[in-house]
Amino acid sequence: MEEFRWYYPNSIEEAVGLLELQGVVPHGGGTGIIRGKLDRYKGLISLEGLGLDYIKEVDGVVEIGATATYHDVIEFCGAVCGECILVKSLSRAASTPLRNRITIGGSVAYFPIWSDLMGPLIALDATVSILGKNEGEYPVQELARNRSLKSHSLIKSLKFKRFNGFTYYYRAARTHFDYGSFNITMLASFDDGVFSDVRFVLVGSKAKFQRLAEIENGLIGRAPSDVDVPGLIGELYNSIEFHNTRIGSAEYTKSVALVEIERAIYASFKAMEGEK
Ligand SMILES: Cc1cc2nc3c(=O)[nH]c(=O)nc-3n(C[C@H](O)[C@H](O)[C@H](O)COP(=O)(O)OP(=O)(O)OC[C@H]3O[C@@H](n4cnc5c(N)ncnc54)[C@H](O)[C@@H]3O)c2cc1C
């Protein structure tokens, strides 16, 4: 039987070279890797020595290194802006010890259906920098759709423009620590009493993630008084579907999601009202 090996590269070049080995994959926080059988792998590449645990903001663009943890992001973004969407979402994920362990790169690569990271990143139009076989800079949505991009590749970092407008996050779960069944991210900007930018993402449906264009297009350019909210929710009825989830049946989960989407919209109306 072949011996299982750990690799501890000290440079990114060395780590990228190791990715060519069959059955050898990067190890971020290890919290996703331990969910499956370890005999799937011939070896793991520790990313700890690569200096990728940084977070920085230059000219309004935030860059997060792959081995920064959920906790690191909450701390960094929380110090800059209390309304940051990643602070709202990641501080609800898992537990304190796990948030100290889960990495951003591992979470983008793994993208579980309960992810509290991916909805906000999709709404923020984040891009992901990848090294190795599929080297390049990709929109996070593309990586989420095309999982083969991560084969023999290393997620180095991700980037997004800091968002300063209205932020809203809802996570459906039976208890605080339970895996979320679905989540909603809404980002919106207002200009002179109308919506100038709206980004609305649902994670956890059958499609795994969806940008809800019906809501975005139904709000942009309109004042709250001109929005037909029940009509918008009605339009969504046929475009979101769920499997049975931890909170209940597929049909029940859909009803909860539609109510929560409506609440998010009304919360944005209230925020716009508060700005006047
Ligand atoms: C009990 C429990 C509850 C959880 N609850 C939540 C929750 O509520 N919300 C939430 O968002 N998350 C939650 N998580 C975390 C989530 O399920 C994943 O375990 C986590 O996102 C994986 O990140 P990691 O850094 O541990 O990745 P790892 O386990 O190290 O890696 C996961 C996968 O990504 C690959 N990988 C790792 N780093 C890189 C990289 N830099 N480049 C390319 N590929 C890479 C690995 O090879 C592996 O295939 C929970 C985890 C546990 C154990």
Side-chain angles (χ1 to χ4, degrees):
M1 197 177 117
E2 232 180 301
E3 207 182 319
F4 179 88
R5 280 195 63 178
W6 272 96
Y7 297 87
Y8 296 94
N10 290 313
S11 70
I12 291 180
E13 295 69 33
E14 201 186 331
V16 170
L18 290 166
L19 289 169
E20 288 171 19
L21 300 172
Q22 283 305 323
V24 175
V25 298
H27 177 278
T31 66
I33 287 174
I34 46 154
R35 282 180 61 86
K37 286 193 178 146
L38 276 181
D39 60 13
R40 282 176 296 168
Y41 308 112
K42 293 194 173 133
L44 293 174
I45 307 167
S46 167
L47 305 181
E48 277 177 25
L50 306 185
L52 293 178
D53 56 348
Y54 64 89
I55 309 178
K56 60 186 180 188
E57 182 175 339
V58 180
D59 296 334
V61 176
V62 180
E63 181 173 346
I64 305 179
T67 58
T69 63
Y70 276 14
H71 169 77
D72 295 333
V73 175
I74 294 165
E75 200 172 59
F76 180 92
C77 294
V80 180
C81 162
E83 285 300 299
C84 173
I85 189 67
L86 284 170
V87 176
K88 289 185 178 176
S89 67
L90 298 185
S91 55
R92 292 179 206 183
S95 62
T96 306
L98 278 163
R99 289 193 294 271
N100 287 336
R101 182 90 221 151
I102 299 168
T103 68
I104 295 300
S107 303
V108 170
Y110 192 59
F111 187 3
I113 194 130
W114 54 87
S115 172
D116 289 295
L117 176 69
M118 292 300 277
L121 288 187
I122 291 165
L124 288 163
D125 289 326
T127 57
V128 185
S129 169
I130 293 183
L131 300 173
K133 185 176 156 202
N134 299 305
E135 181 159 341
E137 182 108 6
Y138 298 90
V140 71
Q141 285 204 52
E142 193 177 334
L143 194 67
R145 273 202 203 96
N146 182 359
R147 309 299 289 155
S148 66
L149 279 177
K150 69 168 200 166
S151 111
H152 297 281
S153 299
L154 177 75
I155 293 175
K156 179 181 160 278
S157 62
L158 58 88
K159 278 189 202 148
F160 55 86
K161 270 203 200 126
R162 176 133 81 91
F163 183 81
N164 293 317
F166 166 78
T167 60
Y168 185 94
Y169 189 74
Y170 174 80
R171 179 182 193 269
R174 292 171 303 183
T175 63
H176 182 82
F177 182 66
D178 198 13
Y179 290 110
S181 289
F182 70 85
N183 58 64
I184 293 167
T185 300
M186 181 179 186
L187 305 181
S189 302
F190 318 128
D191 190 9
D192 224 2
V194 299
F195 285 92
S196 52
D197 181 14
V198 180
R199 310 178 206 171
F200 211 109
V201 183
L202 171 69
V203 168
S205 62
K206 272 191 184 172
K208 194 165 184 183
F209 70 92
Q210 290 171 260
R211 242 181 112 147
L212 301 183
E214 295 90 339
I215 306 281
E216 296 179 354
N217 297 335
L219 296 180
I220 292 173
R222 290 200 169 81
S225 54
D226 297 333
V227 178
D228 170 16
V229 179
L232 279 182
I233 300 297
E235 267 185 60
L236 274 186
Y237 194 82
N238 291 324
S239 53
I240 62 171
E241 294 297 338
F242 286 89
H243 295 292
N244 294 340
T245 64
R246 288 170 173 258
I247 61 165
S249 68
E251 201 50 35
Y252 173 76
T253 307
K254 179 167 160 170
S255 307
V256 176
L258 292 172
V259 168
E260 294 302 337
I261 290 167
E262 189 171 346
R263 285 186 176 155
I265 295 171
Y266 282 121
S268 68
F269 289 179
K270 212 168 156 191
M272 196 190 297
E273 193 56 39
E275 271 194 8
K276 279 185 194 160

